[in-house]
Amino acid sequence: MQVVRASPTREQNQGDNEMAGYFTEENSIEAVNGRMGKDINPRLAEVMACLIKHLHAFAQDIQLTQDEWNYGIEFLTRTGQMCSSERQEFILLSDALGFSMLVDAINNRRPARATENTVFGPFHVKGAPVRQMGDSINLDGKGESCLYEGRVIDLDGKPIEGARIDVWSDSAEGFYDVQQPGVQPRWNNRGIFVTRSDGAYRFAGIKPVSYPIPDDGPVGQMLGHLGRHPYRPAHMHYLVTAEGYQKLVTHIFVAGDAYLESDAVFGVKSSLIGVFERVVNGATLWRSPFDFVLARTAR
């Protein structure tokens, strides 16, 4: 007599798969995270488990199609192919998605009175010349001249001596010197100034202009598909460091710029919109006063 065995039901198969640790649509997060070893770096385990959780939840939530998955892989591939020693398209992608600003905010929480951080940007260059207080950083003579001045102080308003203020901006045409080697003078619109006992700083530059982030690659195409422009509002970059104080990476934005509320990389904070005053019969056409308030490092 032949014995006919009943085929297992879908529910039975699913239960067996889950018990055995096999992958199913329903247990995908547990199946992948369950394969991690026991003796790996604890922080790595925490980060990867959370990444898998949210990545799989995203695909489930949006019901991602195979064609969409393929397009995503192609987009990331093209992003990587765009990277070079002069250009980092993945950082640009992070910037354009607001991810860079979020990471910056998480890692730079400060007391309310301290000057706020913003994104570093890709055009800082190490080794800029230390200049005398009051010098001009504008070497090509182009643009509308501007006097930048103020103080570096602590949370109690006391001046900070020996603070290094590393500054850089774009040119009158909207390009940084490293984008135009041979066109702009080396170190154009860059310099480092060191405060004395009064904490004061003073230098001449130009009133910056707004400019587009590089938009000839996958990130620029993404912005176009999303109906977004690639422009950043005009700003002066500052990197302020002093012994015993938290490093400050920030911009001072030009009030009234058309792109303040739609910065392509989300870098604008209301506290960083600076005053640019028109000067009458002065050495420069504009004046921009701003005090930087530093918070002490944790002890």
Side-chain angles (χ1 to χ4, degrees), residues 135-179:
D135 280 355
S136 176
I137 62 173
N138 179 230
L139 305 183
D140 64 4
K142 298 178 180 180
E144 298 184 356
S145 58
C146 182
L147 173 66
Y148 294 88
E149 60 181 352
R151 294 192 304 157
V152 181
I153 57 178
D154 66 14
L155 292 172
D156 297 319
K158 297 178 181 177
I160 298 175
E161 182 177 4
R164 289 173 61 89
I165 308 170
D166 191 344
V167 301
W168 65 103
S169 80
D170 61 345
S171 68
E173 287 81 27
F175 295 98
Y176 292 85
D177 60 342
V178 292
Q179 294 178 287

Side-chain angles (χ1 to χ4, degrees), residues 53-109:
K53 173 184 174 182
H54 289 288
L55 187 63
H56 284 228
F58 159 74
Q60 286 278 13
D61 186 45
I62 203 66
Q63 290 293 285
L64 196 67
T65 69
Q66 193 75 40
D67 286 343
E68 290 165 342
W69 178 85
N70 285 332
Y71 186 87
I73 294 297
E74 181 198 3
F75 173 79
L76 293 176
T77 300
R78 288 189 288 114
T79 300
Q81 290 169 339
M82 201 76 184
C83 295
S84 68
S85 59
E86 288 80 32
R87 177 166 177 169
Q88 232 302 346
E89 192 79 358
F90 274 113
I91 291 180
L92 194 66
L93 176 62
S94 176
D95 292 347
L97 294 176
F99 196 68
S100 300
M101 276 297 293
L102 178 58
V103 173
D104 183 82
I106 291 169
N107 286 274
N108 291 285
R109 296 173 180 137

Side-chain angles (χ1 to χ4, degrees), residues 10-28 30-31:
R10 182 177 186 276
E11 289 76 15
Q12 288 172 324
N13 274 333
Q14 179 178 321
D16 291 343
N17 282 339
E18 290 175 350
M19 289 178 62
Y22 295 121
F23 188 98
T24 68
E25 182 179 339
E26 293 76 14
N27 81 335
S28 66
E30 292 80 7

Side-chain angles (χ1 to χ4, degrees), residues 64-289:
L64 196 67
T65 69
Q66 193 75 40
D67 286 343
E68 290 165 342
W69 178 85
N70 285 332
Y71 186 87
I73 294 297
E74 181 198 3
F75 173 79
L76 293 176
T77 300
R78 288 189 288 114
T79 300
Q81 290 169 339
M82 201 76 184
C83 295
S84 68
S85 59
E86 288 80 32
R87 177 166 177 169
Q88 232 302 346
E89 192 79 358
F90 274 113
I91 291 180
L92 194 66
L93 176 62
S94 176
D95 292 347
L97 294 176
F99 196 68
S100 300
M101 276 297 293
L102 178 58
V103 173
D104 183 82
I106 291 169
N107 286 274
N108 291 285
R109 296 173 180 137
R110 296 190 180 121
R113 298 192 307 279
T115 303
E116 293 188 277
N117 235 62
T118 191
V119 288
F120 194 37
F123 297 118
H124 177 261
V125 178
K126 293 181 179 179
V130 177
R131 304 188 187 278
Q132 294 298 312
M133 199 65 72
D135 280 355
S136 176
I137 62 173
N138 179 230
L139 305 183
D140 64 4
K142 298 178 180 180
E144 298 184 356
S145 58
C146 182
L147 173 66
Y148 294 88
E149 60 181 352
R151 294 192 304 157
V152 181
I153 57 178
D154 66 14
L155 292 172
D156 297 319
K158 297 178 181 177
I160 298 175
E161 182 177 4
R164 289 173 61 89
I165 308 170
D166 191 344
V167 301
W168 65 103
S169 80
D170 61 345
S171 68
E173 287 81 27
F175 295 98
Y176 292 85
D177 60 342
V178 292
Q179 294 178 287
Q180 295 184 310
V183 176
Q184 293 188 46
R186 182 171 172 79
W187 308 117
N188 191 35
N189 294 311
R190 297 181 187 273
I192 296 174
F193 299 87
V194 181
T195 61
R196 300 188 180 96
S197 59
D198 60 359
Y201 72 90
R202 179 185 178 91
F203 68 93
I206 65 168
K207 185 183 180 186
V209 299
S210 52
Y211 63 87
I213 61 174
D215 63 347
D216 57 338
V219 174
Q221 293 169 8
M222 178 192 74
L223 292 178
H225 288 312
L226 294 175
R228 289 174 53 188
H229 67 73
Y231 278 85
R232 297 219 63 203
H235 56 274
M236 175 66 75
H237 289 266
Y238 291 88
L239 168 59
V240 186
T241 55
E243 186 175 356
Y245 294 88
Q246 296 178 26
K247 178 174 69 174
L248 172 65
V249 175
T250 198
H251 308 350
I252 301 303
F253 294 91
V254 177
D257 190 283
Y259 300 107
L260 285 173
E261 296 184 0
S262 60
D263 180 7
V265 306
F266 304 92
V268 180
K269 297 179 179 180
S270 60
S271 67
L272 301 178
I273 299 175
V275 174
F276 282 75
E277 306 168 338
R278 190 79 182 191
V279 176
V280 179
N281 297 325
T284 60
L285 295 175
W286 298 90
R287 173 179 175 267
S288 179

